[in-house]
Amino acid sequence: MAKADGRGRVVAAATDGACSGNPGPGGWGALIRFEDGSVEEFGGADPATTNNRMELQAALEMLERLAELPRHPDLVLRTDSKYLIDGLSSWMPGWKRKGWKTAAGKPVLNQDLWQALDQARLADVPLRYVKGHSGDPDNDRVDQIAVAYSKGTAPRLKRGSQSTPVKAVDPTADDPTSANAPAPAALQQLLTRLELADRLAEGGFALSTVELAQLVEQPLTRLAERQDSWRWRDWLVEPTDGDRWRLRRAEAGSRQSRNPDG
């Protein structure tokens, strides 16, 4: 295990792949969150590929990166690719017994990437399925990165406190007064998180401390110190049994202490 730096351990990871044409030009995206709240994003492109290959490439790049970093014991790799999850968890043992052949006796597609993933997999980092385009902030973000690369543009990537230069995907993006100009990416991501918070509150779903840190974008160490209810934007965050939290819409005029970062 690599030594921890000032960022602490990795608490969240997500990957996605995209392809224009399938086969066609493709891209992949990956995102890592650390205990101190910092984010590291990376991705890449392939001029002639498939969506499945990009999903596998994203996971491979992520696992190789995670192998170099200290990891929180609750860390999971979030992906919307059932192909990736089923391949690693269910299909691969049979492929290997049959000499990398399918049940029909045909060569396994994308064998090179599957074999690399078999070597790179980390026993302490299970895969978890998340439905694509469902409002999951990290899944939406890696999708944006992958799509941008598949279209030949260079997305703005977070690397701790640094960012790489960005190419405008839309010619109106450099003109904030244009009627067609999209909302700034930061506001789009915030809206996604707020919509997700509303659904979590309405459904009464419980979050682990790691998951809550992703939602409110605060260091895990700060949340671990909290014992009582506290306010984040328009929601009360309340502790439940087993180191878990629930969100509840705050009533107007609530006197609960407000999160200074929210």
Side-chain angles (χ1 to χ4, degrees):
M1 180 72 68
K3 293 182 179 179
D5 56 20
R7 298 175 297 180
R9 297 170 294 183
V10 176
V11 298
T15 60
D16 199 13
C19 191
S20 298
N22 203 30
W28 58 271
L31 178 152
I32 293 173
R33 293 187 183 275
F34 294 87
E35 282 181 298
D36 71 343
S38 63
V39 176
E40 179 179 316
E41 298 176 340
F42 47 106
D46 190 317
T49 188
T50 65
N51 186 71
N52 281 342
R53 284 191 67 84
M54 290 294 90
E55 294 279 9
L56 300 187
Q57 187 69 49
L60 176 60
E61 300 282 351
M62 172 62 78
L63 291 172
E64 289 177 345
R65 179 68 179 122
L66 290 177
E68 304 171 347
L69 298 169
R71 302 181 292 274
H72 191 279
D74 293 335
L75 175 65
V76 298
L77 173 54
R78 298 166 68 82
T79 173
D80 60 14
S81 174
K82 290 185 176 179
Y83 176 66
L84 169 65
I85 293 175
D86 289 343
L88 282 179
S89 62
S90 301
W91 304 334
M92 188 173 287
W95 291 341
K96 294 167 75 172
R97 285 196 304 270
K98 296 179 174 68
W100 290 96
K101 299 289 182 64
T102 67
K106 296 181 179 180
V108 172
L109 292 176
N110 306 314
Q111 183 180 145
D112 57 331
L113 290 174
W114 284 121
Q115 289 177 332
L117 281 164
D118 188 34
Q119 294 297 316
R121 69 166 76 196
L122 300 171
D124 62 330
V125 183
L127 274 61
R128 178 175 297 172
Y129 175 73
V130 56
K131 185 177 180 181
H133 309 289
S134 61
D136 181 274
D138 289 353
N139 177 258
D140 287 349
R141 176 56 183 156
V142 291
D143 175 68
Q144 291 172 0
I145 296 171
V147 169
Y149 275 116
S150 74
K151 293 182 176 180
T153 63
R156 184 188 297 273
L157 299 177
K158 296 179 181 178
R159 300 187 187 279
S161 60
Q162 303 296 320
S163 297
T164 60
V166 62
K167 286 184 182 178
V169 178
D170 190 309
T172 65
D174 292 331
D175 180 8
T177 63
S178 169
N180 296 320
L187 287 181
Q188 293 178 7
Q189 293 178 36
L190 174 61
L191 178 60
T192 298
R193 291 193 296 126
L194 297 182
E195 291 174 340
L196 178 59
D198 240 355
R199 288 199 293 273
L200 291 169
E202 290 175 3
F205 300 108
L207 298 173
S208 69
T209 303
V210 169
E211 292 166 337
L212 181 63
Q214 296 174 52
L215 177 66
V216 302
E217 292 195 336
Q218 289 191 25
L220 184 64
T221 49
R222 177 179 297 180
L223 297 185
E225 295 172 354
R226 294 187 181 273
Q227 302 294 328
D228 302 318
S229 300
W230 50 282
R231 181 164 175 166
W232 177 70
R233 295 187 177 273
D234 294 330
W235 293 270
L236 293 181
V237 184
E238 302 174 326
T240 65
D241 294 336
D243 190 33
R244 299 181 74 80
W245 304 83
R246 281 193 173 89
L247 300 181
R248 178 168 61 86
R249 266 284 182 179
E251 299 177 2
S254 170
R255 295 186 179 181
Q256 288 281 349
S257 61
R258 186 174 182 84
N259 168 22
D261 297 328

